[in-house]
Each structure stands twice: as C-alpha cells, then as structure tokens.
C-alpha cells in the first residue's frame, strides 16, 4: 500500500539558521521559506536526489507544531510522509487493522495541495505518519 | 555535499509486531530480522521505491538504542542517514562549520559495511544524523 517516502519533516526553532546550515554546512539544495497559513507553519523544502526534507517552523498562535517545539526546544523530527495511491482505500484498510486515524478520518488538503491523513503515533512505534495521495 | 536519503531508522519495542504492521497494515516490502552484534541492534529493512526504513531493536546489554527506548517506550524515529561521496571530506567540512562529529570524528564501518559518522543532534535541530559514504 505505501509507496515512496514523500518527505521527512523536521521542526526547527530557527528556520533561517537551519536553512543556512543545510545550504552551507551540509551543501544541500534549499528553497525559500513559504508561509502556509492554513497549516500554521512556515516551510522550507530541501530537495535531495530521492526525496525531500521539510523544515517546519510555527506560523501563528495555533500552530500544530508549537507544542512539539515547547517539548523539544532544539527541534526534532516531527513526522514522516508516505505516498499512497488512494487515500480513502488506505484509511479503510488502516481502520480495519485497528489503527487510529487522526482528525476523524476525513482527509484534508495538505501543504502540497493533495489529500492527506495523519496516523496516531502511539499505533505506529511512536512515529507520526502522514499519508499523502499522489 | 549530502546526497540521497539512505534511510530513516525507527527504534521499536517489538520488532515482530512492527514488521507485521508494516507488512500487513501498511502493505510494504519487509525483510527478515538481521542481527548486527557489532552494532548492538537487530535490524529489519523495509524497501520503499525511493529509500529504506530500518526498524531497530536492541541486541545485547550495551545496545546504543536501549537508552532511547527507555526514554521513548513506544519507540520513535532514531536517526536519518544521508549519503556522501567522501566521508573524510564531509567530516572536515562539518568540523570547519563548527558541527560536532560523534565518536572522535573517525569513521566506523556501519551496518551496511560502509564508513559512517554520526553528527551531534544538538548541532542539527535535535536530529541525530548519520552520514554514510557510498
């Protein structure tokens, strides 16, 4: 069912410093910050040859990653995203397997403009997993 | 400098259950457990179309991931691994940038039989980063 690893998302306390570190010290191809007000984050995409890293920083008071950074002030890996072909079929298969889908199980439009779901980390080895329909 | 994302490593408290979940519920291509006594882990490789997930479980008393699981009993993402062409050049560039390389800065032979280094998570947004020469 799951396909490519779409991205690894890293929450960072200082987006400019993290961008400069990936661009300079690590020599990666780093994009410009993009505000995603609907998702409460500012995102910087880092293009690797086979997948992406997304640096996330809170935007606004209700940012879903603010609590994560409060608990992890230095930052940390926030989630990983797997691609699926059919998000509703994926949801039904997961529910049948007893896994909890966050947000009532209805896909939302994610930061890439595609339907996404998040799975409960407690059901997946402590990892927050995003599924994105591609 | 950094190239492909070689793998995402997830520490899991129950390797059999996590393998079955990725094989069954998530429908991925999951390998058999491999003991890596030199590294204190048993590893299960999950092949995605563009990269790998590695499930890690402690092997032996001195496993480097035992402390991580003590702190995160449900499991969690332990590290991410970027590929580099020349690990000594990478180390020197990182040191020049002020980043701390763990283990005295001398590459070791990693679980894939290739030279690896680990970078201090405090210097990289709370993420433990492995560099592997490919």
């Amino acid at each position: 069912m799951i396909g490519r690893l779409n991205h690894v998302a890293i929450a960072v306390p200082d987006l400019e410093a993290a961008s400069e570190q990936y661009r300079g010290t690590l020599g990666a191809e780093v994009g410009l910050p993009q505000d995603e007000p609907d998702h409460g984050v500012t995102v910087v995409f880092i293009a690797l040859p086979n997948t992406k890293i997304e640096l996330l920083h809170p935007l606004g008071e209700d940012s879903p990653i603010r609590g994560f950074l409060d608990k992890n002030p230095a930052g940390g890996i926030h989630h990983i995203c797997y691609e699926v072909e059919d998000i509703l079929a994926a949801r039904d298969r997961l529910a049948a397997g007893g896994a909890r889908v966050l947000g009532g199980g209805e896909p939302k439009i994610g930061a890439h403009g595609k339907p996404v779901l998040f799975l409960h980390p407690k059901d997946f080895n402590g990892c927050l997993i995003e599924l994105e329909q591609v």
Side-chain angles (χ1 to χ4, degrees), chain A:
Chain A
M1 181 175 81
I2 57 172
R4 296 172 75 257
L5 179 78
N6 185 275
H7 62 269
V8 176
I10 303 174
V12 302
D14 183 334
L15 198 53
E16 198 175 336
S19 298
E20 186 45 40
Q21 182 182 52
Y22 267 85
R23 188 181 291 116
T25 311
L26 292 173
E29 188 186 328
V30 178
L32 295 174
Q34 300 176 25
D35 287 345
E36 303 270 1
D38 289 350
H39 298 93
V41 290
T42 302
V43 183
V44 165
F45 293 99
I46 300 170
L48 301 181
N50 60 332
T51 188
K52 291 192 294 276
I53 304 293
E54 296 188 10
L55 304 179
L56 303 179
H57 189 72
L59 177 67
E61 286 308 306
D62 297 328
S63 172
I65 62 163
R66 196 171 291 281
F68 180 89
L69 280 174
D70 286 345
K71 278 186 219 153
N72 305 278
I77 298 173
H78 184 263
H79 68 266
I80 52 178
C81 175
Y82 298 129
E83 297 179 356
V84 295
E85 286 188 9
D86 181 335
I87 198 128
L88 294 177
R91 175 196 65 187
D92 294 344
R93 177 171 173 157
L94 287 158
R100 283 170 286 180
V101 179
L102 299 179
E106 284 310 306
K108 295 195 173 147
I109 298 303
H112 309 142
K114 294 175 178 168
V116 302
L117 284 173
F118 283 89
L119 311 181
H120 200 303
K122 290 234 162 109
D123 293 344
F124 288 92
N125 313 293
C127 301
L128 180 59
I129 293 178
E130 180 181 16
L131 297 180
E132 179 174 306
Q133 179 171 298
V134 291

